[in-house]
Amino acid sequence: MSTNAASKELSHGVDVFKKYRTLLFELTRKNVSLKYRNSWLGIFWSFLQPLLNMVVLSVVFGGLFGKSSEHVICYPVFLFTGRLLFDFFNSATKQAMTSFRRNAAIIKKVYVPKYMYPLSSILSTFVTFAISILCLIFVWVFFKATGISNGSALHITWRVLMCFVPMLLILIFSTGVGLVLSILNVYFKDIEYIWDVLTRLLLYMVPILYPLQRIETRWIIIVIKINPLYSMIELFRQCVLYGIPMSWKLLAYGTAAAVGTFAFGTLIFKWKSDDLIYHL
């Protein structure tokens, strides 16, 4: 494809996105509303669910990994920061994966750019994730004020304002993975069960419950560092938990992984999205 043709195609894609951006907003809003429909607590679950997860996991694993050190300043906050980003990735990819099957009836009747469905699912999950950041602020202030679990060692710096960088990276990365999964799920429904198992395994293969420094086996350390989620979670902790400058190596790797995955997901989606209606 020539540069001129690619430029025209990109321009057309931007025009189509602008035309349907209101629909994207409405689909995102609908997904957020449906998530808490018939729930007594409603959107308050965005605060309560991560808080309860932190309490349970802190009780279970705090004795093993919660000893204060330069790598674990306050274990509940350390756990919360990692689990928050991982839960977003987990929920976003699963919602994107099932988006076509959930909206099959509409897809067969009305023309809408098909990427709107997985993208709106991911964005609605990101809205919930952004709300959960308020819960992180509450948890941080609580442990800082009470000093529980060495919370007095927590301190805030201006670098906390840079936390949007890893948040943006994990959004881009999740979108790329979600686009691929949404296509695979149309052709292979078993991918739902496979991905559920993989994400459970992934939870323990990323330093969320434990600091990386507790791992002594070299090949396991290499496997963990290859995982893009590690770099994004560690960048987030550097901003919010440690108050230190972001590692340029982690930032470069995380950016390359996020953009590369998004590009790959876009190519796969473009290749197969026109055929998926015949398999729904």
Side-chain angles (χ1 to χ4, degrees), residues 29 64 115 123 142 144 147 212 220 227 248:
R29 186 181 62 82
L64 293 174
Y115 61 79
L123 289 177
F142 171 80
K144 177 65 176 179
L212 181 63
I220 295 180
N227 187 344
W248 67 268

Side-chain angles (χ1 to χ4, degrees), residues 4-280:
N4 189 38
S7 178
K8 287 183 178 180
E9 184 175 352
L10 178 61
S11 178
H12 174 71
V14 172
D15 291 339
V16 171
F17 181 82
K18 289 181 178 179
K19 179 180 179 180
Y20 288 95
R21 65 181 182 275
T22 302
L23 176 63
L24 177 62
F25 174 81
E26 290 300 324
L27 287 173
T28 302
R29 186 181 62 82
K30 184 198 75 170
N31 289 335
V32 174
S33 300
L34 287 177
K35 181 176 181 179
Y36 299 107
R37 186 176 60 180
N38 300 326
S39 170
W40 288 359
L41 295 178
I43 205 167
F44 184 66
W45 277 112
S46 297
F47 298 89
L48 191 58
Q49 186 175 9
L51 187 61
L52 292 177
N53 285 334
M54 181 205 69
V55 171
V56 172
L57 292 174
S58 294
V59 171
V60 174
F61 295 103
L64 293 174
F65 308 118
K67 293 182 179 179
S68 298
S69 68
E70 60 178 322
H71 308 296
V72 181
I73 296 175
C74 177
Y75 185 72
V77 179
F78 172 87
L79 176 65
F80 197 99
T81 50
R83 189 63 194 261
L84 201 60
L85 268 69
F86 180 83
D87 283 351
F88 164 70
F89 171 78
N90 186 27
S91 299
T93 52
K94 287 183 177 179
Q95 288 297 314
M97 178 172 54
T98 59
S99 59
F100 288 130
R101 293 193 180 277
R102 292 198 315 269
N103 296 282
I106 301 176
I107 294 172
K108 293 177 181 179
K109 294 179 181 178
V110 181
Y111 170 76
V112 172
K114 294 181 180 64
Y115 61 79
M116 288 288 176
Y117 297 103
L119 185 57
S120 63
S121 297
I122 292 169
L123 289 177
S124 63
T125 308
F126 191 77
V127 170
T128 305
F129 169 54
I131 294 173
S132 298
I133 294 295
L134 298 177
C135 185
L136 173 59
I137 296 174
F138 168 79
V139 169
W140 193 98
V141 171
F142 171 80
F143 283 100
K144 177 65 176 179
T146 61
I148 299 174
S149 296
N150 196 36
S152 57
L154 293 169
H155 64 280
I156 194 168
T157 70
W158 65 268
R159 293 186 178 91
V160 72
L161 301 176
M162 299 300 295
C163 69
F164 74 91
V165 174
M167 290 173 63
L168 179 60
L169 290 180
I170 201 168
L171 173 62
I172 296 171
F173 179 67
S174 300
T175 302
V177 175
L179 289 175
V180 175
L181 290 174
S182 67
I183 292 294
L184 289 176
N185 190 50
V186 172
Y187 295 92
F188 312 102
K189 195 175 187 301
D190 289 346
I191 197 67
E192 290 185 40
Y193 310 109
I194 295 173
W195 187 245
D196 186 59
V197 173
L198 288 177
T199 51
R200 289 177 187 273
L201 177 63
L202 195 61
L203 175 63
Y204 299 100
M205 289 302 294
V206 181
I208 296 172
L209 305 174
Y210 57 87
L212 181 63
Q213 291 73 19
R214 292 291 296 271
I215 305 298
E216 298 180 355
T217 307
R218 182 170 178 78
W219 71 266
I220 295 180
I221 295 176
I222 294 174
V223 170
I224 291 174
K225 288 186 174 182
I226 289 174
N227 187 344
L229 287 177
Y230 163 73
S231 61
M232 297 168 193
I233 290 173
E234 190 62 23
L235 286 170
F236 188 75
R237 282 175 171 157
Q238 288 175 355
C239 296
V240 175
L241 185 60
Y242 305 125
I244 61 177
M246 288 189 293
S247 165
W248 67 268
K249 290 183 179 179
L250 291 178
L251 181 58
Y253 180 71
T255 302
V259 174
T261 303
F262 179 79
F264 176 74
T266 302
L267 289 174
I268 296 296
F269 192 88
K270 182 180 177 182
W271 175 38
K272 300 300 293 184
S273 61
D274 290 338
D275 300 330
L276 62 84
I277 192 172
Y278 303 112
H279 299 270
L280 288 173

